[in-house]
């Protein structure tokens, strides 16, 4: 049986061109190397799974390849790169051992690169022991620090580093990358299915690839929207489209029955009402051509949003967002949470009816 390698490792970028969603940073680093303007202490900060450690490794390899001229592109100069996981090696002795290794000039290549991951986990004493080396590093040493929590790093360390803020990867960038991975793996994937995976990952590409592996294990070589929603236990768009149709028809019994079906499938009522509020927001941005770009959904779902947005009034959507948001805010403190959601649904189903009654009174 062939050994399975998870997609996050199998498709880890090997060059800056392969890095997804961080073009500003990779372009800056490329220019810094080309113009010999690279600082000796760099801090990569940002959410998890966005490419900090990957960029650090690519940078470590690239600066030695450039300094050596024409070398094999697969040459990684592994003996010149030292990695320290500060989460488990956070003492003064660990830092002292690392700085002692870095002081010795490299035998091959021009630079020794030290990558310290989760640097915010270093103890206060370890930070202090590291200060002098970071302030006056050897000419052949480059330090790359990576962290998800920049605010925990002492100011004296921050002031000695060139800081690069990695952003969350957009849903579109992740979806496009998942399409590429699916093609390489000979998997037929729905656009909407990959969009749901990208949304669920919340800006972290590593999470998106982990979810992708899990769903592929569940559904095989064909990835459908239904398979993804079933495996990830997320509510499908269709549930919210059906709910909205019932609400604008003032069908209170129908919407209560639908809500009961959602609960019977094991979904959380709070999750349902938050999703409904987001659905109303998406319908509102779909009503105007200027805001359609704010609609982060797949192509098939976008058509449905455009259709349903024509059937809903702006007054209804504004009031519906307010009611759903109030329910979301009061949910945790409510003694009878199901009743709170049901009451909100009944109020939502009465909005257009109340608007009609007001018009009749005014006329």
């Amino acid at each position: 049986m062939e050994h399975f390698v998870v997609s996050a490792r199998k498709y880890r970028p090997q060059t800056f061109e392969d890095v997804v969603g961080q073009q500003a940073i990779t372009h800056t680093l490329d220019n810094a190397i080309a113009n010999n303007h690279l600082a000796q202490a760099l801090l990569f900060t940002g959410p998890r799974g966005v490419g900090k450690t990957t960029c650090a490794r690519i940078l470590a390899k690239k600066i030695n390849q450039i300094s050596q001229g024409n070398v094999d592109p697969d040459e990684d100069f592994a003996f010149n790169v030292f990695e320290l996981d500060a989460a488990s090696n956070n003492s003064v002795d660990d830092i002292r051992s690392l700085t002692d290794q870095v002081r010795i000039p490299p035998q091959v290549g021009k630079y020794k690169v030290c990558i310290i991951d989760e640097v915010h986990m270093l103890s206060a004493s370890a930070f202090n022991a590291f200060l002098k080396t970071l302030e006056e590093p050897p000419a052949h040493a480059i330090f790359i620090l990576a962290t998800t929590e920049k605010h925990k790093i002492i100011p004296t360390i921050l002031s000695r580093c060139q800081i690069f803020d990695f952003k969350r990867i957009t849903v579109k960038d992740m979806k496009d990358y998942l399409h590429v991975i699916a093609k390489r793996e000979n998997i037929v994937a729905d656009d909407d299915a990959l969009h749901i995976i990208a949304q669920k990952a919340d800006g972290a590409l590593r999470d998106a690839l982990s979810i992708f592996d899990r769903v592929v294990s569940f559904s095989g070589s064909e990835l459908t929207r239904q398979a993804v929603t079933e495996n990830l236990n997320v509510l499908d768009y269709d549930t919210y489209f059906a709910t909205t149709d019932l609400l604008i028809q003032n069908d209170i019994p129908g919407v209560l029955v639908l809500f009961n079906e959602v609960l019977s499938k094991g979904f959380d009522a709070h999750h349902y009402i938050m999703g409904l509020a987001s659905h109303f927001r998406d319908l509102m941005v779909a009503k105007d051509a200027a805001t359609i770009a704010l609609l982060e959904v797949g192509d098939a779902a976008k058509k449905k949003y455009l259709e349903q947005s024509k059937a809903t009034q702006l007054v209804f959507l504004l009031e519906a967002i307010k009611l759903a948001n109030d329910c979301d805010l009061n949910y945790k403190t409510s003694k009878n949470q199901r009743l709170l959601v049901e009451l909100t649904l009944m109020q939502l189903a009465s909005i257009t009816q109340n608007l009609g009654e007001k018009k009749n009174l005014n006329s």
Side-chain angles (χ1 to χ4, degrees), residues 211-251:
I211 295 168
F212 177 80
D213 285 344
R214 191 174 107 199
V215 176
V216 167
S217 298
F218 171 75
S219 61
S221 60
E222 196 169 335
L223 223 61
T224 62
R225 188 185 69 179
Q226 187 179 355
V228 171
T229 52
E230 189 179 337
N231 185 257
L232 298 182
N233 198 34
V234 293
L235 276 167
D236 199 358
Y237 296 131
D238 289 341
T239 305
Y240 296 121
F241 283 120
T243 302
T244 307
D245 284 338
L246 292 168
L247 293 175
I248 57 181
Q249 291 164 16
N250 314 120
D251 188 352

Side-chain angles (χ1 to χ4, degrees), residues 95-141:
I95 287 294
R96 195 170 288 146
S97 171
L98 190 71
T99 52
D100 286 345
Q101 285 178 314
V102 170
R103 281 199 187 97
I104 304 164
Q107 301 300 307
V108 181
K110 190 177 176 182
Y111 296 100
K112 273 194 173 180
V113 183
C114 171
I115 300 170
I116 305 179
D117 213 355
E118 301 299 337
V119 70
H120 65 273
M121 300 287 281
L122 287 177
S123 65
S125 303
F127 270 129
N128 291 329
F130 190 37
L131 269 174
K132 192 64 180 172
T133 306
L134 204 60
E135 189 173 16
E136 297 175 4
H140 59 266

Side-chain angles (χ1 to χ4, degrees), residues 227-353:
V228 171
T229 52
E230 189 179 337
N231 185 257
L232 298 182
N233 198 34
V234 293
L235 276 167
D236 199 358
Y237 296 131
D238 289 341
T239 305
Y240 296 121
F241 283 120
T243 302
T244 307
D245 284 338
L246 292 168
L247 293 175
I248 57 181
Q249 291 164 16
N250 314 120
D251 188 352
I252 290 176
V255 79
L256 292 179
V257 169
L258 179 61
F259 176 54
N260 186 62
E261 287 173 8
V262 169
L263 294 180
S264 65
K265 289 176 184 174
F267 291 107
D268 179 43
H270 195 193
H271 177 72
Y272 170 75
I273 202 70
M274 285 193 297
L276 191 59
S278 298
H279 181 76
F280 293 144
R281 176 262 180 199
D282 288 341
L283 285 172
M284 190 166 70
V285 300
K287 284 188 81 67
D288 195 313
T291 54
I292 284 176
L294 301 176
L295 195 60
E296 287 193 337
V297 294
D299 293 337
K302 186 176 280 189
K303 288 177 185 174
K304 288 187 177 181
Y305 272 106
L306 291 171
E307 284 172 17
Q308 195 171 67
S309 68
K310 291 172 186 173
T312 53
Q313 296 176 325
L314 187 61
V315 182
F316 166 79
L317 291 173
L318 287 168
E319 185 64 22
I321 290 171
K322 183 181 179 299
L323 287 170
N325 190 54
D326 287 345
C327 181
D328 174 26
L329 293 172
N330 296 326
Y331 189 87
K332 290 247 173 95
T333 55
S334 174
K335 290 284 197 300
N336 191 337
Q337 294 170 333
R338 175 167 181 160
L339 181 61
L340 175 68
V341 176
E342 287 177 335
L343 180 61
T344 301
L345 290 171
M346 286 187 274
Q347 289 173 327
L348 288 167
S350 305
I351 293 172
T352 52
Q353 196 170 11

